[in-house]
Amino acid sequence: VATAIPLGSVGDATGEQLGSQDHAATPSNHPDRIVDMHIHFDEKNSNFISDLVRLAQRINLTACLLTPYSHRVQVAEAAKQYPGQIVPFGFVDLDDSDVLSQVKDFQALGYRGLGELEFVKKPYVDASYLPVYELANQYGWVLLFHTGIVLRRSVDQPENVASYRMRAFHLEEIARRFPKLTVIGAHCGNPEYEWAAEVARWNPNVFFDLSGSTLTKMSARLEEFKKVFWWSGQGEWKTATPANDESAFIKLVFGSDAGLDGIEHVVSQYRSLFKSCDVPASTQQMIMGGTLAGILRL
């Protein structure tokens, strides 16, 4: 039977461990705040930080900002200046020879996790990636993984990219090996939503976002997600959840993976999902910001 569990173990600005190693969250003190787990730093926009802060202040948004290594200092400074609007996350290539050094540098600057991990040359559970997860586990970080089908960077050049390496079921092994991590899968495993949901169901430190094409593709049949997140109210069929929420949809968090001009549209898509699937108001608040606010201790 599910029981309430305390806030997740998350490193503070210096990487020190806070709280227990469980992964639930209490409701945010700002119930209308949106916490977006999936915003990429736009290197092409020289005014990106100011544009982001302006939007965030207007719509009450906190952005988990996925930051390339070359911009790590700029974003760390912005996060200190705008702690209500920016939470810094490091963007790394798991196959880089110096990835561990990059992870340590991000941690020293007060970053709260890594994302979006993607375009890997081996499956996520390959032994060569485990040292990165071990470091992140020591820091009590949040890791955001791409899951499911992945775009092509080029259509006329050979690529060492394959979506099967990034399937949602790989996150189960990572979450179980490294229990101090919070593991989030972007795109809910598109199109393997059922695999994603079942992995989240049995692992209290696993969540998924619905960023990407899914909510557009499924717009005329959103109610089908009731069959994917089927165990609402079935306490014997789930592990502990944020705020002991009985809705299976509590295993979702908000992520846009959109440009600044597209975030509000994704908010509206999530709202349509909630309406179609009769998601309780309290669960909606947790999905849109409460769960992440608790995990990140915002």
Side-chain angles (χ1 to χ4, degrees):
V1 176
T3 56
I5 54 180
L7 290 170
S9 171
V10 179
D12 67 5
T14 63
E16 181 181 355
Q17 298 297 317
L18 295 175
S20 76
Q21 65 181 35
D22 297 314
H23 291 81
T26 54
S28 168
N29 291 329
H30 305 278
D32 295 326
R33 172 167 54 182
I34 299 166
V35 182
D36 190 335
M37 186 61 237
H38 201 146
I39 296 181
H40 289 272
F41 182 90
D42 185 354
E43 296 181 274
K44 297 179 181 179
N45 180 0
S46 60
N47 298 314
F48 179 76
I49 294 294
S50 59
D51 290 346
L52 171 60
V53 170
R54 189 177 304 110
L55 172 68
Q57 291 173 337
R58 179 170 64 80
I59 67 173
N60 198 13
L61 173 77
T62 299
C64 297
L65 188 54
L66 313 180
T67 306
Y69 185 71
S70 59
H71 292 273
R72 65 194 182 280
V73 174
Q74 177 189 0
V75 170
E77 293 175 349
K80 292 177 182 177
Q81 186 175 0
Y82 302 104
Q85 288 75 42
I86 297 174
V87 180
F89 275 72
F91 182 85
V92 299
D93 182 340
L94 287 175
D95 293 294
D96 276 352
S97 59
D98 64 342
V99 64
L100 290 176
S101 295
Q102 293 181 33
V103 170
K104 292 174 183 178
D105 288 345
F106 278 124
Q107 189 271 339
L109 288 168
Y111 278 65
R112 309 299 297 276
L114 300 175
E116 173 186 17
L117 303 174
E118 60 181 342
F119 292 115
V120 285
K121 292 184 171 60
K122 293 153 286 191
Y124 283 139
V125 292
D126 189 87
S128 64
Y129 301 145
L130 299 186
V132 174
Y133 307 152
E134 178 60 44
L135 262 185
N137 189 61
Q138 292 176 25
Y139 301 152
W141 268 2
V142 178
L143 297 188
L144 174 69
F145 292 84
H146 176 97
T147 60
I149 195 71
V150 72
L151 59 79
R152 292 186 63 138
R153 288 170 164 166
S154 172
V155 296
D156 58 358
Q157 297 295 323
E159 293 183 326
N160 184 6
V161 176
S163 298
Y164 81 90
R165 302 169 187 164
M166 296 167 272
R167 294 175 75 179
F169 61 69
H170 292 310
L171 302 193
E172 178 183 36
E173 182 175 347
I174 296 166
R176 294 190 182 201
R177 280 177 177 258
F178 303 103
K180 293 182 181 179
L181 291 179
T182 298
V183 177
I184 300 177
H187 320 302
C188 203
N190 180 23
E192 296 178 328
Y193 309 120
E194 290 195 63
W195 258 112
E198 295 297 329
V199 169
R201 178 166 70 99
W202 283 117
N203 293 281
N205 56 334
V206 176
F207 300 85
F208 286 87
D209 77 30
L210 277 170
S211 62
S213 61
T214 289
L215 293 176
T216 300
K217 174 178 65 177
M218 301 288 287
S219 60
R221 47 194 176 103
L222 291 171
E223 68 279 358
E224 292 184 17
F225 276 103
K226 289 182 179 180
K227 300 176 183 178
V228 175
F229 295 94
W230 58 268
W231 62 93
S232 295
Q234 304 294 322
E236 69 271 28
W237 295 111
K238 67 180 179 65
T239 51
T241 58
N244 201 25
D245 196 300
E246 286 297 310
S247 173
F249 285 90
I250 195 65
K251 299 304 295 189
L252 293 173
V253 295
F254 180 74
S256 67
D257 193 20
L260 298 183
D261 59 351
I263 293 173
E264 290 176 278
H265 174 65
V266 182
V267 170
S268 71
Q269 289 183 310
Y270 266 72
R271 300 295 186 197
S272 294
L273 172 74
F274 298 156
K275 182 177 180 180
S276 295
C277 294
D278 303 314
V279 179
S282 58
T283 308
Q284 295 181 35
Q285 290 182 350
M286 295 296 287
I287 292 169
M288 296 304 293
T291 295
L292 286 170
I295 291 170
L296 294 168
R297 293 186 178 271
L298 303 182

